[in-house]
């Protein structure tokens, strides 16, 4: 388990802010949108023949983002460790939503795994395990964002490029692409096979 109880962390956010970007602990909707834009830019232009697993899907907001772009994948699956988020995501998306802990569960195979923000309160060890599990369950790659830098925090987890490069090397990533100039202390990585 992380430094804090993630289920309580997110349940408190839902209780306080409801089904909004703040309810999944984003500062605001524009920052969530910006992160989605970057992940989206790393995906193939035509998603209609690909499957995507949204790891840490929250309320299924990335699915709705893809729908607004008219670029839905052949198959979308959301996974989240918080049951309340899974129930809301299933209702909002009408797609397959799995209640599971990505650190321990057997994950479904998909062409791409994506993750936006779900690793921010994990420990460094848990973050590495999360990345490994998602990358291994993907056929083509894992695209994700994390907090970036050398900061130390009681709650949030920051990784630097050296740590991310080491993870990529250990996984045998064939192509690594990143974007780090859109928000302070944020980086989006594309680990491709």
């Amino acid at each position: 388990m992380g430094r804090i109880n993630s289920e309580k962390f997110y349940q408190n956010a839902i209780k306080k802010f409801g089904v909004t970007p703040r309810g999944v602990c984003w500062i605001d909707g524009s920052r969530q949108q910006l992160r989605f834009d970057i992940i989206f830019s790393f995906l193939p232009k035509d998603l209609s023949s690909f499957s995507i697993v949204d790891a840490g899907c929250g309320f299924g907001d990335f699915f709705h983002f893809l729908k607004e772009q008219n670029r839905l994948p052949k198959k979308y699956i959301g996974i989240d460790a918080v049951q309340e988020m899974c129930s809301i995501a299933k209702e909002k998306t009408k797609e397959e939503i799995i209640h599971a802990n990505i650190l321990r569960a057997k994950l479904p195979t998909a062409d791409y795994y994506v993750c936006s923000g779900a690793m921010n309160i994990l420990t460094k060890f848990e973050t590495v395990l999360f990345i490994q599990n998602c990358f291994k369950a993907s056929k083509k790659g894992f695209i994700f964002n994390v907090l970036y830098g050398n900061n130390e925090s009681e709650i949030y987890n920051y990784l630097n490029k050296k740590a991310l490069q080491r993870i990529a090397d250990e996984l045998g990533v064939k192509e690594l692409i990143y974007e780090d100039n859109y928000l302070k202390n944020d980086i989006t990585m594309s680990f491709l096979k």
Side-chain angles (χ1 to χ4, degrees), residues 37-193:
D37 286 337
I38 304 295
I39 288 173
F40 183 67
S41 74
F42 288 157
L43 287 167
K45 297 293 178 227
D46 182 6
L47 294 175
S48 64
S49 60
F50 295 107
S51 55
I52 290 179
V53 170
D54 185 357
C57 68
F59 304 136
D61 293 333
F62 189 68
F63 173 83
H64 287 288
F65 172 86
L66 292 173
K67 192 173 183 179
E68 288 169 7
Q69 307 300 316
N70 289 322
R71 294 225 344 244
L72 284 174
K74 175 176 69 175
K75 173 111 177 117
Y76 170 93
I77 299 171
I79 301 175
D80 206 285
V82 180
Q83 179 60 53
E84 189 173 354
M85 288 191 182
C86 290
S87 298
I88 293 166
K90 187 172 284 210
E91 185 179 312
K92 283 180 63 179
T93 66
K94 309 296 186 232
E95 298 292 323
E96 181 180 359
I97 307 294
I98 300 169
H99 177 233
N101 183 329
I102 288 173
L103 303 177
R104 294 189 282 278
K106 178 169 177 18
L107 301 177
T109 301
D111 294 307
Y112 291 95
Y113 265 67
V114 298
C115 176
S116 186
M119 294 183 273
N120 291 346
I121 62 170
L122 300 178
T123 65
K124 287 188 183 355
F125 174 80
E126 291 169 333
T127 301
V128 171
L129 185 58
F130 191 108
I131 293 169
Q132 289 172 344
N133 291 350
C134 291
F135 183 76
K136 288 175 183 175
S138 73
K139 294 178 191 173
K140 303 213 175 270
F142 180 35
I143 303 165
F144 60 94
N145 55 50
V146 292
L147 295 174
Y148 170 63
N150 294 308
N151 301 5
E152 293 296 327
S153 169
E154 293 283 322
I155 297 173
Y156 298 104
N157 174 33
Y158 292 82
L159 295 175
N160 59 36
K161 281 185 193 160
K162 185 176 177 182
L164 290 162
Q165 183 65 59
R166 187 172 55 250
I167 296 166
D169 291 345
E170 289 169 1
L171 288 172
V173 169
K174 299 288 186 227
E175 184 179 2
L176 185 150
I177 306 166
Y178 70 89
E179 179 70 50
D180 65 354
N181 64 357
Y182 56 98
L183 285 174
K184 184 178 180 188
N185 297 116
D186 211 88
I187 190 167
T188 300
M189 307 292 297
S190 177
F191 284 10
L192 299 177
K193 295 184 173 187

